[in-house]
Amino acid sequence: MLFSRSGTRVSGKSRSVSIIRARGVSLLAFVALAPAVCAQTIHVDITPAHSTNTIRPNEALGAGIDRLPYGAVDKLFNPEMVKQVLAAGWGPITYRQNTELHMEAWHWNPEGTWSDPSGKGYFTGRATPTQFLRHSYGYELPHRGVTHDDGTDLDGYSRLTDGDVNSYWKSNPYLTQRYTHEDDSLHPQWVFLDLAARRPITAIRIAWAEPHAKHYLVQYWTGTDTLDPIRHPTGGAWQTFPGGTVERGEGGTVTLDLSDTPLMVEWVRILMTESSNTCDTHGPNDPRNCVGYAIRELYLGNTTKDGDFHDVIVHTPAQGQTATYCSSVDPWHEPADLDEKMGDQVGFDLFFTSGFTRGLPAMIPIAMLYGVPEDSANEIAYIEKRGYPISYIEMGEEPDGHYTNPEDDAALYIQWAEALHKVDPKLKLGGPVFTGENSDIETWPDAAGQASWTGRFIDYLKSHGHLGDLAFFSYEHYPITPCMLQWSDLYDENTLVSNMIRIWRQDGVPADVPQFITESNLSWQAGEAFPDIFGALWLSDYVGAYLSAGGKAVYYFHYMPLGIHPQRCDNSPGSFGLFSTDKNLKVKQPLSQFFASQLINLDWMQPGGGEHKLFPASSDIRDAVGDVLVTAYAAVRPDGQWSLLVVNKDQENAHRVRIDFRDLAKHSDAHFTGQVDVITFGSQQYQWHPNVDGGSANPDGPAARSTVNASSETEFTLPQASVSVIRGRLQ
């Protein structure tokens, strides 16, 4: 029921090239390859039946706007910033939902109603517009059962080992029979402890809250020290302790003798399949208070012969506690849980009227993992009453990063789909919004041995008659582990994104359901590679490869400039974004990905809503170990021009190429003829220089532009470490 977070690269080859991160030292320090001495070839298959994709830039090339630090909205949402950002050429916007990433309830509208008349409980935003929404905020969940996950490594803590018996974890009520209309055993809930090392264990003490579990198992993980249940869910199995089966649980504080002799274990799980359905501390007036499971505190260790319990758990309301994980969290909260340190998400009215969306339909999220269906329905009703255009709706945020069972995510998806389609049957819904994986996501195998998260998610929707509610399949893409980046990672990107599309299809995503990458950049922590020329080459290769492999849309992250910042892992200064800024978020200069964005959006593609067909392209330019140094992506534009996006990943050498076009059906060749535009951005136009203040680029663009009067004999020069657009007509 957990997922694989291996981050495995496709290419396992070891190389002597690496990125030097020391301040004041150039990012690029590489082994030179032998210079090309003759023209090599880029082959383009223009056979009409071999077209790999059809896209429209105003639908396929977008960017994301995420949660911002407090005060940043007022500095960034102004006409001058809109003008500078839009110059990158990205089209549709996806509104990223950071509150759910950080395990918070989202008040997209500060006006609304609480389920409890005293002003707390489950919050539903007002559907009818009354004020201009400029900000929205997140609220921490007081019944949290996770110490840390993909979004909560630095803040908050689990109530299962916080040392306070008056606090408690509680599971999500929407995963119970009252809302799923299925027996609770089909959606088992769980919590487990990470002892950080193998310890001898014979007993557990559980301080139940209400509702408690009537039927549950206490289990341990059988994997080796390196095959834990989070990163390697198929590398072991959950084994029930000899004394770990409880069939008539009565609640209260219970001590269980798990084994007569100590068992050396590191991971211990409580798997709950039947609830007492008794009400929690919030009372019986709301049925959501009286379903699911709740635990005040967990203790684990040994019971001596004289009956004393010796606890090995660290109990503290901080990240230093013994770490716990859980299957779900109750979204109940109150006004005092407002999280002021994480910043705010721009309000929908400001978002849609600022100019950043260009007036195009925007992709909008709803809070599903930590929300309520009525609130999400009101959110969409509000937007439609304002007349703001919506393209798609993403359902939730990163369930794999929150350890959500695929069947649970699918059950929530169905409930929310039904609520949203009551508002508007034409809404296009999708997800699951994965964190950014390079391979199939594995989870603890089910009874049939199925370990694919996506496969089980799709199977659940299909078996419940709701696969038609999946209008698109979306995920994020952060391919490189922070602080482990090397130049050779550029060689993997083409294969990574094409494999992702193939994997999801094999898992059961229907062929007619489009795939979107709705958030992406090099890594989930910025470093020097982002503003360096490396970032431009990666971005160009990623976008070209994904769309050419059949992906229907990409969204660049992050659209809003937030400056250059040193990062935790290696003090390597970098930035998610298109610009460096001063302390007041005023633009200082464009960064490498700004220029790459322009080449993609304004030169390779013909801006607007015209239809572009993509075709296979390849080169025979490789290094000594067989890696492709030059990749190319071919499109025929609405204006009739053939346009190639060409990435030369050779950091030392230029390459001269001929470009051959061949229609395999007609057995005919073609070539560029007449005036051909060549636009190039590379290490000759841009060089990044890091320093203690973050760094700057000199030279800092722009791209070099030229024209060539082409014929069948024309050779094009691809400068070292560069991206080029070569565009013209064929004969």
Side-chain angles (χ1 to χ4, degrees):
M1 298 174 185
L2 284 184
F3 53 92
S4 176
R5 299 286 300 159
S6 61
T8 304
R9 291 177 57 236
V10 170
S11 173
K13 302 169 185 172
S14 60
R15 300 178 176 86
S16 59
V17 292
S18 62
I19 286 182
I20 296 178
R21 298 183 176 87
R23 284 180 174 163
V25 180
S26 171
L27 181 67
L28 307 180
F30 308 109
V31 177
L33 300 174
V37 295
C38 60
Q40 294 164 287
T41 306
I42 293 175
H43 304 275
V44 184
D45 180 355
I46 61 173
T47 311
H50 293 176
S51 175
T52 61
N53 204 356
T54 301
I55 64 167
R56 300 177 186 273
N58 275 1
E59 299 173 358
L61 295 168
I65 292 180
D66 208 331
R67 195 174 189 174
L68 298 167
Y70 274 98
V73 167
D74 296 328
K75 295 177 181 178
L76 293 172
F77 280 73
N78 60 73
E80 180 60 25
M81 184 60 71
V82 171
K83 179 180 178 182
Q84 291 174 300
V85 169
L86 293 189
W90 298 109
I93 302 298
T94 173
Y95 183 117
R96 311 311 298 155
Q97 191 211 149
N98 187 262
T99 50
E100 193 148 283
L101 172 65
H102 285 275
M103 199 175 296
E104 297 175 340
W106 181 28
H107 289 210
W108 60 269
N109 187 348
E111 291 187 348
T113 57
W114 295 91
S115 58
D116 190 319
S118 66
K120 55 187 176 181
Y122 303 93
F123 185 81
T124 301
R126 185 190 302 274
T128 302
T130 58
Q131 61 174 307
F132 186 90
L133 297 183
R134 191 175 182 87
H135 305 281
S136 70
Y137 302 101
Y139 288 71
E140 295 180 336
L141 301 179
H143 298 315
R144 167 176 165 171
V146 175
T147 301
H148 45 250
D149 61 15
D150 272 13
T152 60
D153 281 348
L154 298 177
D155 59 296
Y157 56 90
S158 167
R159 274 48 175 186
L160 289 164
T161 55
D162 65 350
D164 182 0
V165 295
N166 293 313
S167 68
Y168 56 91
W169 161 79
K170 185 170 179 287
S171 64
N172 191 329
Y174 292 99
L175 295 173
T176 65
Q177 183 175 9
R178 182 181 181 89
Y179 299 97
T180 65
H181 309 298
E182 298 180 301
D183 191 275
D184 284 351
S185 63
L186 297 178
H187 294 276
Q189 299 300 292
W190 47 261
V191 299
F192 69 86
L193 294 148
D194 174 9
L195 302 180
R198 290 182 179 270
R199 306 287 295 272
I201 300 298
T202 63
I204 189 171
R205 179 170 292 169
I206 307 171
W208 290 100
E210 299 300 336
H212 63 272
K214 294 177 65 176
H215 188 281
Y216 60 96
L217 303 175
V218 183
Q219 303 174 313
Y220 61 95
W221 179 251
T222 62
T224 67
D225 292 342
T226 59
L227 297 179
D228 63 70
I230 291 181
R231 296 171 182 84
H232 303 281
T234 61
W238 289 106
Q239 178 71 41
T240 302
F241 282 97
T245 300
V246 177
E247 297 180 345
R248 296 181 180 85
E250 296 181 353
T253 298
V254 177
T255 301
L256 299 178
D257 292 323
L258 299 174
S259 176
D260 292 336
T261 58
L263 293 177
M264 299 297 294
V265 299
E266 182 175 355
W267 305 81
V268 175
R269 179 176 79 163
I270 304 171
L271 183 70
M272 296 159 274
T273 55
E274 183 182 351
S275 171
S276 64
N277 294 321
T278 46
C279 300
D280 64 22
T281 60
H282 307 310
N285 293 330
D286 190 323
R288 289 168 289 192
N289 298 336
C290 309
V291 291
Y293 309 92
I295 298 174
R296 297 185 182 276
E297 197 80 5
L298 291 175
Y299 311 86
L300 189 68
N302 298 276
T303 303
T304 62
K305 292 182 179 180
D306 57 8
D308 290 339
F309 185 88
H310 292 269
D311 186 19
V312 300
I313 301 298
V314 176
H315 301 267
T316 182
Q319 287 282 298
Q321 65 187 182
T322 295
T324 73
Y325 303 83
C326 66
S327 52
S328 67
V329 179
D330 187 352
W332 190 101
H333 60 288
E334 54 187 319
D337 296 316
L338 173 65
D339 184 0
E340 297 183 347
K341 64 181 179 297
M342 291 304 297
D344 73 272
Q345 301 215 195
V346 60
F348 280 128
D349 289 312
L350 181 59
F351 172 78
F352 277 106
T353 62
S354 64
F356 284 114
T357 69
R358 298 182 187 268
L360 297 171
M363 178 179 288
I364 298 301
I366 54 90
M368 189 177 77
L369 296 181
Y370 312 115
V372 299
E374 296 81 6
D375 178 67
S376 298
N378 280 4
E379 173 194 335
I380 302 308
Y382 180 100
I383 293 172
E384 291 194 340
K385 288 175 183 177
R386 286 291 203 194
Y388 302 140
I390 297 173
S391 58
Y392 303 97
I393 296 174
E394 275 196 306
M395 308 280 275
E397 170 74 6
E398 302 187 8
D400 54 327
H402 292 304
Y403 319 120
T404 305
N405 302 337
E407 291 80 8
D408 288 357
D409 196 63
L412 296 176
Y413 192 101
I414 290 172
Q415 293 175 55
W416 263 252
E418 291 175 344
L420 292 171
H421 280 146
K422 287 180 181 178
V423 175
D424 184 349
K426 299 185 299 297
L427 294 173
K428 297 178 181 180
L429 316 177
V433 204
F434 289 140
T435 56
E437 300 293 339
N438 292 338
S439 58
D440 199 9
I441 298 171
E442 291 187 330
T443 183
W444 301 327
D446 61 13
Q450 169 69 288
S452 169
W453 199 104
T454 299
R456 285 165 49 181
F457 174 81
I458 294 295
D459 286 347
Y460 189 96
L461 293 182
K462 185 184 300 183
S463 66
H464 288 72
H466 281 270
L467 189 57
D469 287 327
L470 187 70
F472 64 94
F473 190 82
S474 66
Y475 40 95
E476 300 174 3
H477 183 53
Y478 292 100
I480 304 174
T481 303
C483 313
M484 297 180 65
L485 188 150
Q486 54 185 347
W487 185 267
S488 58
D489 288 315
L490 285 175
Y491 307 145
D492 297 340
E493 183 60 27
N494 182 294
T495 305
L496 285 180
V497 292
S498 59
N499 280 348
M500 288 161 53
I501 293 174
R502 176 183 54 81
I503 287 169
W504 307 139
R505 295 294 183 213
Q506 290 176 346
D507 284 342
V509 176
D512 61 349
V513 173
Q515 295 189 34
F516 302 156
I517 292 180
T518 52
E519 184 179 313
S520 64
N521 215 308
L522 278 169
S523 181
W524 55 94
Q525 288 184 20
E528 289 176 36
F530 286 69
D532 202 281
I533 195 65
F534 186 101
L537 269 61
W538 172 83
L539 178 63
S540 303
D541 204 45
Y542 147 66
V543 173
Y546 186 69
L547 295 178
S548 295
K552 279 299 183 179
V554 295
Y555 290 84
Y556 173 80
F557 184 84
H558 188 284
Y559 214 17
M560 309 302 289
L562 294 175
I564 303 290
H565 302 286
Q567 298 299 306
R568 291 175 293 168
C569 59
D570 57 2
N571 292 320
S572 172
S575 175
F576 284 101
L578 304 169
F579 304 96
S580 62
T581 68
D582 62 19
K583 293 181 179 179
N584 292 315
L585 300 181
K586 296 288 186 181
V587 169
K588 293 169 63 177
Q589 65 177 168
L591 301 176
S592 69
Q593 291 190 345
F594 172 82
F595 295 106
S597 298
Q598 289 190 318
L599 259 69
I600 294 166
N601 297 311
L602 306 179
D603 293 306
W604 181 43
M605 296 281 111
Q606 182 179 341
E611 184 177 275
H612 292 62
K613 288 190 174 295
L614 304 184
F615 288 82
S618 61
S619 85
D620 54 12
I621 306 170
R622 297 176 179 268
D623 65 11
V625 296
D627 288 307
V628 177
L629 292 176
V630 172
T631 47
Y633 308 100
V636 60
R637 302 171 10 141
D639 60 9
Q641 294 189 86
W642 280 85
S643 183
L644 269 66
L645 180 68
V646 186
V647 184
N648 180 11
K649 306 168 192 178
D650 189 335
Q651 65 273 24
E652 292 292 337
N653 302 302
H655 291 273
R656 300 202 317 273
V657 298
R658 290 182 179 177
I659 304 175
D660 291 343
F661 298 85
R662 184 164 179 77
D663 186 329
L664 299 177
K666 296 181 178 179
H667 304 287
S668 62
D669 296 325
H671 57 269
F672 277 126
T673 185
Q675 180 174 306
V676 173
D677 294 310
V678 180
I679 308 98
T680 298
F681 176 73
S683 55
Q684 296 177 4
Q685 289 77 40
Y686 180 97
Q687 294 178 22
W688 179 251
H689 305 279
N691 56 44
V692 294
D693 297 319
S696 62
N698 184 25
D700 185 24
R705 295 177 179 270
S706 62
T707 59
V708 175
N709 191 22
S711 69
S712 61
E713 301 301 316
T714 299
E715 298 177 359
F716 298 89
T717 299
L718 308 175
Q720 69 271 22
S722 68
V723 182
S724 298
V725 171
I726 304 173
R727 186 181 68 229
R729 299 184 183 277
L730 303 186
Q731 177 177 307

